[in-house]
Amino acid sequence: MPAVPAHAQIVVIGGGIIGCSTAYHLAKLGRTDVVLVERNKLTSGSTWHAAGLVGQLRTSANITQLLKYSVELYDALEEETGQATGWKMNGGLRLACNAERLLEIRRQATTAHSFGLPMELLSPREARDLWPVMDVSDVIGAAFLPTDGQVSPSDLALALAKGARMRGVTIVEDCPVTAITQQSGRVTGVVTTEGTIVADIVVNCGGQWARQIGALAGVNVPLVSVQHQYLITEPIAGIPRSLPTLRDPDRLIYFKEEVGGLVMGGYEPNPLPWADYGIPDRFHFQLLDDNWEHFEPLMEQAIARVPALQSAGIKQLINGPESFTPDGNWMIGEAPELAGFFVGAGFNAFGIASAGGAGRALAEWIAGGEPPMDLWPVDIRRFGAPHRSTGWVRTRTMEAYAKHYTLAFPFEEYKSGRPSRVSPLYEQLKAAGACFGEKLGWERANWFAPKGVAPRDEYTYGRQNWFAHVGDEHRACRESAALFDQSSFAKFMLVGSGAAKALDWICANHVTKAPGTLTYTQMLNSRGGIECDLTAARLSDDAFYLVTGTGFATHDFDWIRRNIPGDCAATLVDVTSAYAVLALMGPRAREVLAPVCEGGAEAIDNAALSFMRWKDLSIAGVPVRAQRVTYVGELGWELHVAVEFASRLFDALLEAGKPHGLKLAGYRAIESLRLEKGYRAWGSDIGPDHTPLEAGLGWAAKLKSGTDFLGRIALEAQGERPLKKRLACFVVDDPAVILLGRETIFRDGRQAGWLTSAGWGYTVNANIGYGYVRDPDGVSDAMLASGAYELEVANERVRCAVHTSALVDPASARIKG
Ligand SMILES: Cc1cc2nc3c(=O)[nH]c(=O)nc-3n(C[C@H](O)[C@H](O)[C@H](O)COP(=O)(O)OP(=O)(O)OC[C@H]3O[C@@H](n4cnc5c(N)ncnc54)[C@H](O)[C@@H]3O)c2cc1C
């Protein structure tokens, strides 16, 4: 008799903590026809040798909520299953040893408050009262999160496995998966050494093996193995069992109590990758050779912090491999390459802390057919073309690992693996002084250094070195004209006799107007949440050109393709690499363009090309599709041009712009300009958790038409009730205050939300932030506009003004030219 059932609704691959948690939560949702297959024994991968710290605070509200849920689950699991977990809510302490770090932890405390975590700031003496064996002579402040804790990782995983079994899940050990079967783009099961299981859904929770398991299915799982070491000491006098976990990021180290001694580990600036050529067979319940030489700098830091370590007995140095990712975050979700194949992997040494929430979110995604909430920071679809190269992934991942504890400055860019993808204008932009940032591998000009200034970011928590230069670019755009290279935009064609019908269904706005039109639209999920935010140009009866943000290429493509109704003959093609985009924007943009445009001023006046229309033009002899649209709130065009013409178009526009003060401008100016104009940014201001009604974008949903569209039912239902949250704009005039996002919103002294995005507006000369004001009883227009608002910034309250319309050009007279 075969050891595995011939059929299961869901197969989970991997019996580490993530596989166990996913199976447990699937069962809790009533999905009990689940088989978990583990190649060796439960926990034999990375889980058994984890240190077990459980921290909760992340930079995303939803991921923090998931980690908070982990804590609630770990608190109750022993009682539920009868299996001890070693869970202890002893709190987490974080130290600051310099002014920038102190500011960082002050901002982290505010983020914690925004997300509902009770993080408090402590003096060095108070910190030492909690952690008596440390030297605090260099500590200038600390933050304490009393609900953090620690756990015994293997026991916790086994408790989750027991809870899953108790609910009907089958767990089969010593059962490696050797192949994934599929048909017509959908997974159909797994082949194991113990037999084949036909399944509707397969979940890859293979830890550091997840990349090779994904490869069996043609699915890219961008993670690599990295060595991670920690030390376990014999008991040390003066260490209470209640000792909180401790993170000392300035020394790159962390601690937790264990049997009266300490566990101490850290994040070296020169991490060591492992298994470059594949993980050896039969690597289970194994450690790597300890590497004292590599660990020594961390050890020195630890002794300086805890002098008793000098003479403490050392039980063991653990060197365990763990999977890390290029951006330090884990990944979950249905693979864009293969329907029914899910991934939950790449846990970057916080898989124990994440497991409860990650397993729940993954199970809900599987059971519900779409993400249960905005999971964008951990969505597998945030990756794309560059992540297909293991070499690139490894290079970038080493940098991300090394940054684990370094100061996370605002606007900080990765340095490694660059340049990866460049616009055809890259060399010209570089010669013009561009300081580049990177998005999904694309090099994009963030700002331009004037002559004599190095095009280099200098990071600080204060105003950074580019501040004034971005101001010049911003003002050029508002007062004369600016040229932006936006070639990295993701661009798709939807073609076929059913394309219009498909977009009628997928888009919330009416995009199937006559050829020549351009429509700004959202695409909604069944909850009415915004999955995509883009513009659609109707090229002909059966062809649409869709333009969306650089970073959303994989996600949006997946969303659109997945939602094309089965009876619509429509094919989606990614044409990103075919076109460069130059955005010419500003009140004098027409004067710049007219002399080089065939047909002169008449070809581009409002009669010939009005707002939200597109037209083919010949500019300096170059064929261009001019789209009359803007994300900066000015008169202008996005000029879409075949890449081979881009360079010539660029030169011609720069030359034509000289008499009009045209300036090259970058993405930081775009951000400042769009904040003033109130344009929403997907991924921060809007996303799957926010509906157009809540975001003030109800005008872009075709609710008055009779056309059915995805999300309509939810939106209509929401429209009948008071909205529980509404996006508003907040302004702080004081230039000494710096808003970065995640600051807490207070209304009449009561916490009401947090900022989703923020920055400086150079025209209004003030800090601008956007955030949802929340109230379970409803947020009316009158309520939103009234009340005394404050923001908590770096743990201090500042007064702010609230606005419900755009700060610049609320009537949109400028963009209509
Ligand atoms: C030294 C160290 C310290 C750490 N400390 C902490 C900490 O303090 N806090 C924290 O939150 N996290 C910590 N972690 C991270 C944590 O251990 C991991 O994030 C977590 O264990 C990952 O769980 P997983 O289920 O994804 O992977 P794994 O535990 O590796 O599970 C994957 C499983 O898949 C199985 N598998 C692989 N291939 C196949 C196949 N073909 N068929 C069937 N099964 C297969 C493997 O055998 C394995 O059991 C630490 C990690 C290390 C290395």
Side-chain angles (χ1 to χ4, degrees), residues 519-648:
T519 311
Y520 167 61
T521 187
Q522 278 85 47
M523 295 176 172
L524 311 182
N525 56 36
S526 62
R527 307 186 308 277
I530 301 171
E531 289 286 342
C532 312
D533 178 72
L534 45 77
T535 53
R538 187 164 200 175
L539 303 188
S540 64
D541 285 347
D542 55 6
F544 292 83
Y545 179 66
L546 310 171
V547 180
T548 186
T550 309
F552 316 136
T554 310
H555 174 276
D556 287 10
F557 190 88
D558 180 65
W559 181 263
I560 298 166
R561 192 182 50 181
R562 190 178 282 279
N563 285 296
I564 296 173
D567 63 347
C568 291
T571 307
L572 188 67
V573 185
D574 187 334
V575 294
T576 301
S577 302
Y579 299 99
V581 181
L582 279 167
L584 174 64
M585 300 283 152
R588 300 185 70 179
R590 223 176 236 139
E591 291 165 69
V592 174
L593 199 59
V596 283
C597 179
E598 204 168 288
E602 272 177 32
I604 50 169
D605 65 14
N606 275 347
L609 181 52
S610 58
F611 186 58
M612 295 314 276
R613 293 190 67 82
W614 67 269
K615 191 176 157 188
D616 286 330
L617 295 175
S618 176
I619 299 171
V622 171
V624 161
R625 182 184 304 134
Q627 303 203 153
R628 179 87 188 272
V629 64
T630 178
Y631 192 54
V632 294
E634 294 297 332
L635 164 72
W637 306 266
E638 273 176 12
L639 305 171
H640 293 247
V641 56
V643 288
E644 64 271 27
F645 287 115
S647 172
R648 205 145 66 75

Side-chain angles (χ1 to χ4, degrees), residues 17-18 38-39 46-47 49-53 177 322 349-353:
I17 194 156
I18 303 303
E38 162 55 46
R39 75 203 281 261
S46 292
T47 296
H49 55 60
L53 284 80
V177 168
E322 155 75 333
F350 67 108
I352 307 302

Side-chain angles (χ1 to χ4, degrees), residues 22-349:
T22 305
Y24 169 85
H25 285 94
L26 281 167
K28 252 187 151 172
L29 291 169
R31 302 298 177 111
T32 50
D33 186 9
V34 176
V35 178
L36 184 153
V37 286
E38 162 55 46
R39 75 203 281 261
N40 184 250
K41 302 290 180 203
L42 295 180
T43 78
S44 60
S46 292
T47 296
W48 74 278
H49 55 60
L53 284 80
V54 176
Q56 301 166 88
L57 182 61
R58 307 291 298 171
T59 52
S60 141
N62 280 358
I63 308 309
T64 302
Q65 296 310 323
L66 290 178
L67 271 66
K68 241 170 110 176
Y69 165 76
S70 289
V71 161
E72 287 159 27
L73 177 70
Y74 303 167
D75 218 19
L77 203 60
E78 183 168 340
E79 198 176 319
E80 181 192 325
T81 62
Q83 158 78 46
T85 60
W87 166 248
K88 187 159 83 170
M89 194 186 281
N90 45 349
L93 194 58
R94 180 174 279 260
L95 305 179
C97 300
N98 55 65
E100 295 273 37
R101 181 73 73 181
L102 187 62
L103 193 49
E104 184 180 81
I105 65 169
R106 293 178 76 85
R107 285 192 175 270
Q108 282 169 341
T110 288
T111 300
H113 302 157
S114 291
F115 300 167
L117 286 174
M119 193 182 235
E120 43 189 292
L121 293 173
L122 302 182
S123 69
R125 179 191 281 258
E126 288 168 325
R128 209 193 43 199
D129 288 346
L130 286 172
W131 233 85
V133 289
M134 73 171 161
D135 179 293
V136 289
S137 52
D138 62 337
V139 175
I140 61 170
F144 183 59
L145 190 40
T147 53
D148 276 358
Q150 65 184 63
V151 75
S152 161
S154 294
D155 292 339
L156 177 64
L158 293 176
L160 289 163
K162 191 170 174 195
R165 273 201 192 101
M166 283 160 61
R167 289 182 162 82
V169 170
T170 304
I171 295 181
V172 187
E173 293 178 303
D174 299 310
C175 182
V177 168
T178 54
I180 312 281
T181 57
Q182 53 179 290
Q183 201 173 13
S184 310
R186 211 190 148 84
V187 74
T188 54
V190 298
V191 179
T192 78
T193 53
E194 308 306 304
T196 295
I197 312 175
V198 173
D200 304 330
I201 286 167
V202 173
V203 195
N204 174 4
C205 296
Q208 59 176 342
W209 294 266
R211 188 164 179 81
Q212 66 198 49
I213 295 170
L216 293 175
V219 167
N220 186 37
V221 182
L223 55 80
V224 291
S225 304
V226 184
Q227 304 183 35
H228 189 63
Q229 299 200 92
Y230 66 83
L231 174 106
I232 310 171
T233 75
E234 300 288 355
I236 296 172
I239 292 194
R241 293 303 302 271
S242 60
L243 192 79
T245 62
L246 176 71
R247 290 172 182 81
D248 187 356
D250 293 312
R251 294 185 183 274
L252 309 177
I253 51 177
Y254 61 81
F255 297 87
K256 75 161 205 184
E257 183 274 341
E258 188 159 290
V259 210
L262 288 175
V263 160
M264 185 282 287
Y267 289 83
E268 306 87 349
N270 53 343
L272 299 174
W274 184 66
D276 289 13
Y277 303 102
I279 300 168
D281 283 347
R282 284 185 282 284
F283 187 87
H284 24 74
F285 286 128
Q286 280 184 56
L287 294 174
L288 309 177
D289 291 342
D290 54 31
N291 185 341
W292 278 103
E293 201 182 327
H294 198 238
F295 197 68
E296 202 177 311
L298 295 181
M299 188 66 195
E300 280 170 16
Q301 295 292 337
I303 290 171
R305 179 61 66 223
V306 184
L309 277 177
Q310 187 85 56
S311 53
I314 305 297
K315 253 195 213 161
Q316 199 181 358
L317 181 63
I318 302 263
N319 185 0
E322 155 75 333
S323 60
F324 284 81
T325 64
D327 62 2
N329 238 334
W330 31 272
M331 72 192 90
I332 62 171
E334 188 169 7
E337 299 95 332
L338 182 61
F341 188 84
F342 286 77
V343 177
F347 277 83
N348 293 276

